[in-house]
Amino acid sequence: MSDGQTASPSSGTRVAALRARLDAQSGTGPQTSGPARLVRAPGRVNLIGEHTDYNEGLVLPAAIDREFWILFEPWDRPEVVMTSADMDETRSFSFEGLSPETRSKSWIDYVAATAWAMREAGLPIQGFRGAMGSTVPIGSGLSSSAALEMASSWALAVPGAPRPDPAAMAAIAQRAENRYVGVNCGIMDQFASAAGQAGHALLIDCRINKFKATPMPSDLSLVVCDTGSPHRLDASAYNTRRSECELGVELIAEREPGVKALRDVDEAMLARNRDRLPEVVARRCEHVVQEDGRVMATVAALRDGDLDALGRLFAASHASLRDLYEVSSAELDAMVEIAVSVPGVVASRMTGAGFGGCTVNLVKLGAEVALQDAVMAQYEKRTGLTPRVFIVATVDGAGEVELDA
Ligand code: GLA
């Protein structure tokens, strides 16, 4: 079932480290039924289209070279035993009696959730013992959980069994997160990790779960700035936004038959129904309704190399998330302000759920270091927090990596 991905130059060291972890597990069970195999899955950064996925709207994420790796040996036992190299911890779960009630509130839940959702979807799964490592910063909003779910989906899959396409696999992993882990996220993160393409962002239509790859301009770098304030996709703030959007749909649909999601609402329709909506709900809807338009305009600006338009669109998205959707933070605002003052920075905005986490920046080739220097010199002074700056590359979605014999 290998999809023939080739290992990156640094993967030799990574594999050796994971193999040492796997060897240290010997004695955890019976013989394994095959040689070790390696799977990987990337994190993602969203260029634009924020809080639109669960409104059946448009998003434009890219899979990035911050990844989860699992080295594993399948066995004939309905159980997974896994060591996390980063947490320095080994955990396990059994397929027997697997249900959201057996959750352990640890990282292994993401693997167990994926096993549960695959089985619910009628896919055969196999047990294994494995070791995992990651370069996706945890809690920074770059979708470490989606990456772990997608890597797990490859390790759990039975070789030779039909595999759902990446969009369908993403929907299964989203269900794992919604129903098992208990986070009510949309499909964007899992989709980007499953279907990413090197050199491209993905324009995903979350109404029909289909995507189109959009080439990234070769004269722009993608730079992610981590505010160092943990993004809190805490159930309450995220879910409140979701229910505000749902209430907006419900109230608009009373007068506008056929409205099933905010995707069906345009600016004129929102304006003529605004009097029916509580003020805060009206603002949430305004963000979502306008953000879809900015996604399409960004795709056009990337295609045309229109750097001014990219700058305006990212700025408008950030302002809307700050003022209308209210998911930015003082730290994210400071990070964007610093970035846009640097010559060569084309566009900057918060990315992901918000409430902390990272900004995404499009930067002219050669200006990356100036951005990094400006962030290092100014951000900590302004916020008291230590930032991190990652120059990232877009990569292919999750898959198996061929190991050297
Ligand atoms: C998180 C969720 C996504 C999406 C973004 C906001 O990353 O997991 O589904 O809703 O927030 O755009």
Side-chain angles (χ1 to χ4, degrees):
M1 82 173 184
S2 167
D3 70 350
Q5 296 189 351
T6 43
S8 72
S10 62
S11 63
T13 337
R14 189 188 319 275
V15 171
L18 292 180
R19 198 177 287 278
R21 292 287 184 164
L22 202 53
D23 290 346
Q25 262 186 35
S26 59
T28 53
Q31 290 293 306
T32 55
S33 64
R37 293 165 45 201
L38 181 67
V39 291
R40 55 163 281 280
R44 66 97 188 92
V45 67
N46 189 21
L47 294 189
I48 198 161
E50 221 63 85
H51 290 278
T52 46
D53 59 354
Y54 53 82
N55 289 300
E56 300 189 12
L58 306 171
V59 292
L60 189 65
I64 57 173
D65 56 350
R66 293 279 163 165
E67 309 190 316
F68 257 94
W69 298 67
I70 302 176
L71 183 74
F72 67 101
E73 291 171 351
W75 57 20
D76 302 324
R77 186 172 159 181
E79 190 187 10
V80 169
V81 176
M82 180 113 94
T83 302
S84 159
D86 306 311
M87 304 283 181
D88 195 17
E89 177 173 275
T90 299
R91 293 198 172 249
S92 62
F93 67 91
S94 165
F95 297 165
E96 279 154 24
L98 191 61
S99 88
E101 283 73 52
T102 57
R103 224 172 34 205
S104 64
K105 299 224 157 56
S106 86
W107 52 268
I108 197 73
D109 282 348
Y110 294 99
V111 189
T114 309
W116 172 81
M118 287 173 76
R119 231 172 34 177
E120 290 262 305
L123 298 174
I125 52 176
Q126 67 177 0
F128 62 86
R129 64 172 190 191
M132 67 177 206
S134 160
T135 54
V136 192
I138 307 292
S140 294
L142 299 179
S143 299
S144 52
S145 41
L148 176 52
E149 288 153 9
M150 293 319 306
S152 302
S153 77
W154 278 91
L156 289 160
V158 172
R163 188 177 169 85
D165 69 16
M169 201 59 233
I172 292 170
Q174 181 200 9
R175 186 149 186 276
E177 181 121 6
N178 292 169
R179 302 288 294 278
Y180 190 104
V181 180
V183 175
N184 211 10
C185 62
I187 200 169
M188 167 170 72
D189 306 345
Q190 288 79 9
F191 204 127
S193 183
Q197 288 187 15
H200 295 77
L202 305 184
L203 170 62
I204 306 169
D205 183 333
C206 300
R207 166 153 269 178
I208 52 173
N209 281 354
K210 293 212 178 316
F211 76 100
K212 210 169 151 225
T214 300
M216 292 292 289
S218 54
D219 53 351
L220 293 182
S221 279
L222 196 50
V223 182
V224 173
C225 298
D226 185 353
T227 59
S229 60
H231 97 116
R232 286 176 295 276
L233 182 54
D234 81 40
S236 63
Y238 187 85
N239 290 343
T240 306
R241 296 302 181 287
R242 282 196 73 145
S243 37
E244 286 162 346
C245 292
E246 282 157 18
L247 178 60
V249 169
E250 204 181 299
L251 295 173
I252 294 171
E254 283 173 8
R255 213 192 261 161
E256 308 274 355
V259 168
K260 300 269 179 293
L262 285 180
R263 177 67 179 277
D264 301 313
V265 178
D266 61 16
E267 292 196 50
M269 189 190 284
L270 179 60
R272 67 174 178 267
N273 286 284
R274 210 167 169 121
D275 58 322
R276 303 173 68 79
L277 307 179
E279 203 272 331
V280 73
V281 171
R283 278 190 285 129
R284 306 293 189 248
C285 294
E286 189 179 336
H287 164 75
V288 174
V289 166
Q290 294 176 349
E291 184 82 346
D292 275 346
R294 284 190 283 266
V295 174
M296 291 316 294
T298 299
V299 169
L302 286 170
R303 184 195 57 217
D304 301 342
D306 186 344
L307 304 188
D308 290 342
L310 289 173
R312 282 196 305 275
L313 289 160
F314 273 40
S317 173
H318 186 83
S320 178
L321 289 158
R322 184 189 59 212
D323 303 334
L324 298 176
Y325 219 69
E326 294 178 284
V327 291
S328 188
S329 64
E331 292 83 12
L332 286 164
D333 295 346
M335 194 66 98
V336 168
E337 274 170 44
I338 294 167
V340 295
S341 72
V342 177
V345 172
V346 168
S348 180
R349 57 176 286 279
M350 58 154 277
T351 186
F355 318 112
C358 293
T359 64
V360 55
N361 304 270
L362 295 174
V363 179
K364 285 188 187 159
L365 288 188
E368 302 89 344
V369 174
L371 171 57
Q372 192 158 19
D373 290 350
V375 169
M376 290 306 172
Q378 298 171 40
Y379 179 78
E380 188 158 354
K381 272 194 212 137
R382 280 181 66 166
T383 63
L385 295 170
T386 309
R388 287 184 299 177
V389 176
F390 310 114
I391 300 165
V392 297
T394 55
V395 297
D396 286 341
E400 179 157 2
V401 180
E402 273 168 36
L403 281 171
D404 294 337

